Amino acid sequence: MLRQFEGIILKTRDYGETHKIVTIFTKELGKLSAIARGANKPKSKLSAISQMFIQGDFLVYVTKGLSTVQQGEIIASYRYIREDILKTAYASFIIELTDKLVDERKPDPFIYNQLCQTLTWINEKDEFMIPLLMYEMKLFSKGGFAPIVDRCVNCGRTNTLTSFSIQEGGVLCEQCYPIDARAVQLSPSLLKLFKIFLHVGLERIGNISVKKQNKQLLRTLFNEYYDEYGGFYLKSRKFLSQIDLLQ
Ligand SMILES: [Zn+2]
């Protein structure tokens, strides 16, 4: 059946000498793999639309097996992401995480919308760590492994929350934090951010101002948390850590 989708390219690989197989996260049908015939030929009309990060309108012949991309038109190419190695690295990371956590042929317009907004933010602004963390938290939730952030993960208390525990999978109150010797003490405003990350869409955020050292702390906590509960190896993380060393 011939169908039209809006989507973002999550993955591409060569197929034979001239074809490509692309994985598209479509708004209407979730994740879908399709062959783009001739996309590796320089003059192919499918070549521009079959690149990583491209957001486009795709005309796809959908079959039970491998579908076929017939046509495509670019909605957003995220040019500034392509031109900046740090932006490329972080965009690759969230794209890879999305690929691992969204389902084949099962739509999730909310996640799709958050991904578009996150890519737009990375493309247009220099500071993008907070939107990135917000999006990651939504994906953790989608994957069923989001941390408990509204109450103490041990006793359920909602006040006097003081720290974040990777081992326990969420926040701990002032009485329970000794159960994890590695729990990280966080200020009330940082603990509140976890709630915002989980429950608030990026469209509702103007600017959250967070100190650089706190952004780094959150980045480290999110990586460690993902390693503990996420389960899928991410190639892009290796690239990111190499870039971080260069900075
Ligand atoms: Zn407690």
Side-chain angles (χ1 to χ4, degrees):
M1 193 188 358
L2 198 58
R3 291 190 58 178
Q4 188 166 10
F5 301 112
E6 183 184 321
I8 293 173
I9 303 277
L10 299 181
K11 205 158 62 183
T12 74
R13 66 183 167 88
D14 292 341
Y15 186 72
E17 286 201 359
T18 56
H19 312 309
K20 266 186 176 176
I21 291 184
V22 293
T23 303
I24 314 171
F25 180 27
T26 71
K27 190 176 177 179
E28 293 85 357
L29 197 66
K31 200 165 73 170
L32 182 74
S33 290
I35 183 163
R37 294 189 179 278
N40 268 340
K41 290 184 192 160
K43 282 184 181 167
S44 162
K45 60 182 168 53
L46 294 180
S47 119
I49 198 85
S50 316
Q51 314 285 332
M52 283 295 288
F53 315 134
I54 286 286
Q55 183 185 3
D57 266 321
F58 298 88
L59 201 59
V60 181
Y61 191 78
V62 180
T63 61
K64 274 191 183 159
L66 189 61
S67 303
T68 308
V69 181
Q70 304 282 350
Q71 279 177 41
E73 243 172 78
I74 295 174
I75 297 172
S77 66
Y78 300 112
R79 185 183 138 198
Y80 299 114
I81 292 179
R82 285 162 211 287
E83 291 175 353
D84 180 307
I85 192 164
L86 191 67
K87 286 178 190 251
T88 300
Y90 276 106
S92 304
F93 163 64
I94 58 158
I95 286 278
E96 190 183 10
L97 197 59
T98 305
D99 182 40
K100 302 282 188 212
L101 294 172
V102 298
D103 303 306
E104 294 269 355
R105 305 199 181 194
K106 206 168 145 196
D108 191 331
F110 173 73
I111 290 289
Y112 178 81
N113 182 271
Q114 295 299 309
L115 175 60
C116 295
Q117 290 189 66
T118 308
L119 287 173
T120 302
W121 192 300
I122 298 173
N123 190 54
E124 291 173 0
K125 304 191 186 189
D126 292 331
E127 278 297 321
F128 49 78
M129 189 54 77
I130 296 298
L132 200 84
L133 294 168
M134 286 182 79
Y135 180 66
E136 282 176 73
M137 188 70 110
K138 308 290 190 308
L139 282 179
F140 292 176
S141 180
K142 169 137 187 94
F145 57 90
I148 302 288
V149 294
D150 301 312
R151 59 183 188 277
C152 172
V153 65
N154 191 50
C155 75
R157 188 189 306 259
T158 54
N159 56 5
T160 68
L161 302 172
T162 60
S163 52
F164 186 79
S165 163
I166 287 167
Q167 175 190 300
E168 301 298 320
V171 299
L172 289 170
C173 72
E174 67 181 4
Q175 270 159 40
C176 298
Y177 84 88
I179 66 171
D180 176 9
R182 295 186 60 229
V184 180
Q185 300 278 313
L186 295 174
S187 68
S189 58
L190 274 185
L191 284 167
K192 206 174 133 202
L193 271 188
F194 279 95
K195 279 199 236 181
I196 294 173
F197 290 172
L198 188 60
H199 299 302
V200 179
L202 187 54
E203 65 283 357
R204 284 175 56 197
I205 298 299
N207 221 350
I208 300 181
S209 160
V210 180
K211 280 186 208 145
K212 193 175 176 200
Q213 73 198 63
N214 283 334
K215 279 186 207 162
Q216 278 163 349
L217 175 63
L218 289 172
R219 180 72 263 149
T220 306
L221 282 176
F222 268 60
N223 286 353
E224 288 176 6
Y225 186 86
Y226 179 83
D227 289 343
E228 186 71 27
Y229 299 100
F232 300 101
Y233 172 74
L234 299 170
K235 280 192 302 212
S236 52
R237 275 266 297 276
K238 200 175 163 198
F239 181 38
L240 264 182
S241 55
Q242 284 162 346
I243 288 193
D244 279 343
L245 287 177
L246 291 174
Q247 295 235 314

